Amino acid sequence: MSILELMETWRKTHKNSEVAHLPDGSHVVLMGWLHEIRDLGNIKFLLLRDASGIVQVTIKRGAVSQSLLNKVSRITRESVIAVKGVVKRSERSKLGVEVLPQEIKVLNLSKAPLPLEVTGKVPADFETRMNSRFMDLRRPSEVFIFKLQHEVLKAIREFLDEKGFIEVITPKILVSATEGGAELFKVQYFERTAYLAQSPQLYKEILTSCFERVYEIGVYFRAEESNTPYHLNEFVSVDIEVAFMDYKDVMKILEECIVHVYQHLRDKYYEELKRIHGDFKEPQTPFPTITYTEAIELLRRKGISVRWGDDLTTPALRVLGEEYGDYYFIIDWPSKAKPFYIKPHRGNEEICESFDLLWHHIELASGGSRIYLREELEESIKRKGLNVESFKEHLRVFDYGMPPHAGWGLGLSRLLMVLANRQNIREVVLFPRDRTRLTP
Ligand code: AMO
């Protein structure tokens, strides 16, 4: 077999993360990106990165051919390379192991200079990072965020499956608003106007009459103009909806779900999370719970002027966050501050059976008991100044046996901000969409 044929038949034999567990003398073919090169004259260290980690490839003058040395000196950082070599224990390397190469193949040479430093040695500003997101996402610290997201999704699915939920997928092109009219993206749907879904709200409610317990993990769209560290125009939400439960029941599910996520992550990534957080422990349950009215009273006592009935601003939430800390619920919101489908309290219609879950000042989730009687729902739509006609199809379902039900929506990326300890939602979304960013 010629060298060329031999090289064409190379297959990646191991992930970098597996190399440390191999016995000395093991033959490996590793493939990845040239993360960094350290040239000490007689010895060169190539740091080879793949999605699983970094391995040191040590090249000693005299131990390899001159042509290999020449080839190595031409390889630019971020080039894709394949290294065929032998594993050897080594004090010199972080992993405790290095690879001594026999052959190196350049699969794709990268251009130089790089748009940003993958090693993180030269910090890049936020815009540069977002503009060259493909490169930013190669940084091990950023890869970890999305490994974390993958595990969060797994943990949530595992938890809800265990509780008897089924995962559903609902339409994202809709005929009417679900969360209020102002934040709608219009789309031309052939000869009609349609809207991108702001949430799966109406469909998930309908589906409780078929499956009782449903969840959806989906992408939603809101034409919010505001530019904040917590809002995007396209975001993922985890939604549940359950028949024969009220808001207190689904708050319990949310609390347990968050704890399960922590337990799952602790089992999988304790060391990494400890490096980020100092320690990594699940939050204590039950989460502290205050009513909206109590929150207003507390804010006033702290000298903050807030009108009963208004939404709570971020500065106000920061004050509450100082008091209640990590995870806490604010319940029983004013009916006028919540959407039309939330059920007012019997006996005091000014407030409704609703909640928000907060982490310090960040709203992670919101939910509530729903109105399930047709007349009441129609009244509520009218009271909110919405057009009953555009909810005709939805209302029809309520004529035929809608069960009492409740649910919540949890912003996946907001939870990930907390778990990854990042201050801007854009950092925990692969390719964020905001008011000014439509690319990459
Ligand atoms: P709400 O509008 O509060 O409730 O949204 C639910 C959760 O989704 C997240 N979220 C966002 N994340 C990023 N960017 C945005 N623009 C954005 N908007 C919302 C937040 C928020 O708590 N249908 C109800 C839920 C329910 O009652 O079941 C709803 O959509 O974390």
Side-chain angles (χ1 to χ4, degrees):
M1 195 184 281
S2 74
I3 291 284
L4 192 68
E5 282 170 332
L6 186 73
M7 293 205 299
E8 280 177 350
T9 59
W10 281 20
R11 286 287 173 270
K12 178 165 171 159
T13 58
H14 296 86
K15 296 192 284 189
N16 284 354
S17 60
E18 292 167 334
V19 174
H21 311 294
L22 295 174
D24 252 26
S26 303
H27 287 263
V28 292
V29 176
L30 306 179
M31 293 187 184
W33 291 260
L34 180 60
H35 188 65
E36 210 182 332
I37 182 156
R38 291 187 198 139
D39 193 342
L40 307 182
N42 281 337
I43 189 160
K44 290 182 205 295
F45 299 110
L46 306 190
L47 298 188
L48 176 72
R49 188 189 71 243
D50 75 0
S52 74
I54 292 174
V55 159
Q56 177 178 299
V57 178
T58 306
I59 306 172
K60 284 186 207 141
R61 191 178 289 278
V64 296
S65 68
Q66 188 57 42
S67 77
L68 183 69
L69 278 174
N70 293 345
K71 186 194 279 180
V72 166
S73 63
R74 287 194 300 271
I75 309 176
T76 47
R77 282 186 310 150
E78 291 309 305
S79 293
V80 186
I81 60 174
V83 176
K84 181 180 272 196
V86 178
V87 175
K88 184 167 167 287
R89 301 288 117 198
S90 158
E91 300 284 296
R92 276 185 305 232
S93 104
K94 251 196 204 160
L95 271 185
V97 72
E98 63 189 356
V99 170
L100 304 179
Q102 294 160 328
E103 283 178 66
I104 292 182
K105 183 179 173 186
V106 178
L107 303 178
N108 204 348
L109 203 60
S110 169
K111 243 169 128 170
L114 299 171
L116 64 88
E117 209 19 271
V118 180
T119 59
K121 284 186 178 154
V122 183
D125 66 55
F126 201 78
E127 283 306 296
T128 309
R129 287 182 53 200
M130 291 299 136
N131 289 341
S132 293
R133 189 67 166 147
F134 71 95
M135 188 65 67
D136 188 45
L137 289 172
R138 292 185 193 177
R139 292 167 29 189
S141 55
E142 311 314 291
V143 167
F144 181 64
I145 294 176
F146 298 94
K147 287 185 174 172
L148 212 52
Q149 175 173 276
H150 176 71
E151 293 301 325
V152 170
L153 289 170
K154 244 163 70 177
I156 291 173
R157 287 197 162 98
E158 195 176 81
F159 173 82
L160 293 172
D161 290 354
E162 176 66 23
K163 289 237 173 288
F165 282 78
I166 72 154
E167 183 168 3
V168 296
I169 301 167
T170 63
K172 303 293 170 263
I173 304 177
L174 309 183
V175 71
S176 65
T178 54
E179 307 295 334
E183 299 165 355
L184 277 174
F185 278 117
K186 266 190 192 170
V187 286
Q188 191 62 41
Y189 193 73
F190 305 105
E191 57 285 347
R192 283 187 289 173
T193 299
Y195 305 96
L196 294 180
Q198 298 161 300
S199 82
Q201 187 62 36
L202 306 187
Y203 286 104
K204 68 173 180 171
E205 285 193 50
I206 291 170
L207 292 174
T208 61
S209 73
C210 320
F211 307 109
E212 292 193 30
R213 296 178 176 212
V214 294
Y215 75 95
E216 175 159 14
I217 300 176
V219 179
Y220 302 98
F221 307 89
R222 296 196 189 176
E224 293 179 281
E225 297 269 354
S226 57
N227 178 15
T228 84
Y230 317 106
H231 290 86
L232 289 175
N233 297 108
E234 181 183 274
F235 67 96
V236 175
S237 143
V238 177
D239 275 85
I240 76 157
E241 201 66 27
V242 198
F244 311 114
M245 281 196 181
D246 70 8
Y247 72 133
K248 298 265 169 86
D249 300 319
V250 293
M251 280 166 63
K252 190 138 187 40
I253 293 181
L254 179 52
E255 195 174 81
E256 288 174 9
C257 185
I258 299 278
V259 168
H260 182 77
V261 166
Y262 271 73
Q263 286 166 342
H264 180 96
L265 294 182
R266 195 191 47 208
D267 290 348
K268 183 86 188 173
Y269 287 129
Y270 182 66
E271 286 308 319
E272 292 86 341
L273 287 162
K274 209 168 80 173
R275 273 200 290 279
I276 294 176
H277 295 278
D279 195 6
F280 190 74
K281 277 209 279 282
E282 69 243 35
Q284 291 289 314
T285 55
F287 296 165
T289 299
I290 49 165
T291 65
Y292 170 87
T293 304
E294 284 166 347
I296 295 291
E297 285 163 0
L298 186 130
L299 289 168
R300 285 182 183 157
R301 279 202 303 280
K302 301 253 176 199
I304 292 163
S305 105
V306 268
R307 254 203 337 227
W308 193 96
D310 286 354
D311 214 347
L312 300 177
T313 59
T314 303
L317 291 173
R318 279 188 196 278
V319 174
L320 295 177
E322 275 166 28
E323 198 76 13
Y324 296 101
D326 287 3
Y327 291 91
Y328 62 100
F329 286 114
I330 303 177
I331 62 168
D332 299 342
W333 288 71
S335 300
K336 67 173 192 183
K338 288 288 175 185
F340 71 89
Y341 48 79
I342 300 279
K343 189 170 157 217
H345 264 280
R346 295 281 171 254
N348 181 3
E349 308 254 315
E350 287 283 288
I351 57 170
C352 58
E353 297 192 8
S354 57
F355 64 89
D356 280 5
L357 173 69
L358 287 112
W359 185 89
H360 292 261
H361 57 286
I362 306 178
E363 179 202 310
L364 297 182
S366 69
S369 314
R370 322 300 189 185
I371 298 174
Y372 63 96
L373 300 175
R374 150 117 204 192
E375 292 70 31
E376 215 181 300
L377 189 59
E378 190 168 331
E379 253 333 286
S380 180
I381 291 172
K382 283 187 198 149
R383 245 195 333 267
K384 294 276 178 197
L386 299 167
N387 180 3
V388 174
E389 191 55 26
S390 58
F391 291 95
K392 210 172 61 192
E393 279 295 315
H394 183 62
L395 283 166
R396 196 165 82 92
V397 184
F398 287 69
D399 279 330
Y400 301 97
M402 270 303 279
H405 57 285
W408 45 255
L410 164 70
L412 178 68
S413 303
R414 296 215 185 148
L415 177 61
L416 201 58
M417 281 175 76
V418 172
L419 296 168
N421 193 21
R422 295 299 176 109
Q423 316 311 319
N424 193 322
I425 194 166
R426 291 158 186 80
E427 290 185 273
V428 301
V429 171
L430 290 171
F431 298 101
R433 292 288 177 262
D434 64 23
R435 180 70 182 83
T436 53
R437 188 170 287 285
L438 197 52
T439 55

